[in-house]
């Protein structure tokens, strides 16, 4: 069986800046994979390459056994994946239902099935009361939920989620975790970036840590568990800022 995702020496440069440098990721089918790193580490650039939005400078990649760099394979790959990107790129002059209908038709979904799934997703993500509003009127958290609904709508084999919990309230966060856990339990795969390490530790079974464009660690949560928390290991690998840990100088001064 093909891996859900595999890269070999995957790199991307912007001029002289190497945003992703020789990354080699392996994700088994049915995994919940957390792709972690500090801001600017190369996470979003990697996802853009894996989803066919950005061509790599060098290296190889396979997504569901297909090569996103080959046009005939890229189209088939895009039919089988769902994406919540960093920049949500919603059609903001459409309502939620209109937008989801557009996405479903792009995937050639039957009208009855499409309507049924839209109803279920809007209700589950607490958007049914706002479905008549244009998306441009939505809060950031509501837009995140709509983007997730669009990614889930065609029932993909692999979900790419770039910070799906950012700006989402606690109730919606719990709902999203339950949806994604059920998605993986039935055999599909999730590739997730998030700065919320508590959520990653709760839902993921595999993690990779990227720093300065390089993949510096790739392990299972089970193996990591013997050495402490994910946060502890992440800070060990990434390194903490000693100056920041000491605090702001004026906060240490005596008050009046």
């Amino acid at each position: 069986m093909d891996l859900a995702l595999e890269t070999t020496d995957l790199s991307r440069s912007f001029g002289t800046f190497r945003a992703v440098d020789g990354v080699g990721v392996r994700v088994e089918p049915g995994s919940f994979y957390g792709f972690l790193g500090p801001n600017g580490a190369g996470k979003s650039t990697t996802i853009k390459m894996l989803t066919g939005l950005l061509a790599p400078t060098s290296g190889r990649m396979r997504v569901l056994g297909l090569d996103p760099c080959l046009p005939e394979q890229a189209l088939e790959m895009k039919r089988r994946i769902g994406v919540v990107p960093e920049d949500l790129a919603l059609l903001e002059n459409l309502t939620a239902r209109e937008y989801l209908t557009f996405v479903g038709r792009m995937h050639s979904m039957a009208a009855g099935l499409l309507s049924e799934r839209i109803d279920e997703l809007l209700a589950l993500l607490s958007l049914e009361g706002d479905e008549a509003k244009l998306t441009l009127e939505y809060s950031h958290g509501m837009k995140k939920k709509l983007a997730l609904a669009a990614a889930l709508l065609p029932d993909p084999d692999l979900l790419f989620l770039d910070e799906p919990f950012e700006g989402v309230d606690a109730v919606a966060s719990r709902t999203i975790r339950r949806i994604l856990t059920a998605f993986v339990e039935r055999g599909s795969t999730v590739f997730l970036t998030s700065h919320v390490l508590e959520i990653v530790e709760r839902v993921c079974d595999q993690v990779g840590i990227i720093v300065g464009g390089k993949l510096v660690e790739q392990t299972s949560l089970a193996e990591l568990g013997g050495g402490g928390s994910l946060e502890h290991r992440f800070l060990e690998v990434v390194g903490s800022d000693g100056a920041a840990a000491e605090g702001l100088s004026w906060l240490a001064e005596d008050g009046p």
Side-chain angles (χ1 to χ4, degrees):
M1 178 183 293
D2 290 322
L3 290 170
L5 176 62
E6 182 177 20
T7 71
T8 305
D9 294 326
L10 188 66
S11 300
R12 172 69 197 201
S13 297
F14 297 93
T16 59
F17 174 63
R18 203 145 175 99
V20 176
D21 189 2
V23 166
V25 170
R26 291 173 57 88
V27 181
E28 297 286 342
S31 295
F32 204 134
Y33 189 98
F35 192 53
L36 312 178
N39 291 329
K43 302 184 298 297
S44 295
T45 300
T46 300
I47 284 184
K48 287 176 181 177
M49 288 190 285
L50 293 171
T51 56
L53 296 177
L54 191 63
T57 302
S58 60
R60 296 186 301 110
M61 53 185 174
R62 292 291 183 275
V63 179
L64 300 172
L66 301 165
D67 187 344
C69 295
L70 298 177
E72 65 276 13
Q73 295 189 27
L75 183 59
E76 175 60 23
M77 179 205 76
K78 289 175 182 178
R79 289 192 183 105
R80 297 175 57 192
I81 67 173
V83 185
V84 176
E86 177 186 30
D87 44 353
L88 298 175
L90 302 173
L91 299 178
E92 295 194 335
N93 287 315
L94 299 179
T95 66
R97 183 172 292 276
E98 288 170 343
Y99 177 66
L100 293 176
T101 299
F102 169 77
V103 171
R105 288 177 177 173
M106 289 291 289
H107 283 272
S108 301
M109 294 178 64
L113 176 62
L114 175 57
S115 178
E116 179 182 320
R117 287 190 182 172
I118 289 174
D119 287 342
E120 190 172 354
L121 284 164
L122 290 176
L124 189 59
L125 292 168
S126 301
L127 291 172
E128 75 273 34
D130 297 290
E131 65 173 276
K133 294 180 180 179
L134 296 180
T135 306
L136 61 84
E137 300 179 62
Y138 278 14
S139 68
H140 182 69
M142 291 167 69
K143 289 178 180 180
K144 281 279 185 179
K145 292 192 288 184
L146 180 57
L148 178 61
L152 289 166
L153 184 64
D155 192 18
D157 297 318
L158 172 59
L159 267 178
F160 290 94
L161 306 176
D162 198 346
E163 296 292 346
F165 298 100
E166 181 189 27
V168 175
D169 63 58
V171 174
S173 177
R174 182 178 63 178
T175 299
I176 291 170
R177 291 199 311 270
R178 289 175 174 175
I179 292 171
L180 298 180
T181 299
F183 183 78
V184 170
E185 286 176 349
R186 67 83 183 268
S188 299
T189 308
V190 172
F191 187 89
L192 164 80
T193 76
S194 178
H195 290 298
V196 188
L197 298 184
E198 294 88 350
I199 290 179
V200 173
E201 194 163 26
R202 188 176 302 174
V203 300
C204 292
D205 50 66
Q206 301 282 328
V207 294
I209 302 176
I210 184 172
V211 181
K214 295 180 180 291
L215 189 70
V216 295
E217 177 137 8
Q218 187 168 216
T219 187
S220 70
L221 263 295
E223 293 172 345
L224 189 67
S229 70
L230 175 59
E231 180 182 23
H232 177 75
R233 182 56 184 158
F234 180 82
L235 293 175
E236 276 188 339
V237 172
V238 172
S240 60
D241 188 334
E246 294 174 4
L248 298 171
S249 61
W250 66 86
L251 296 182
E253 296 175 359
D254 292 334

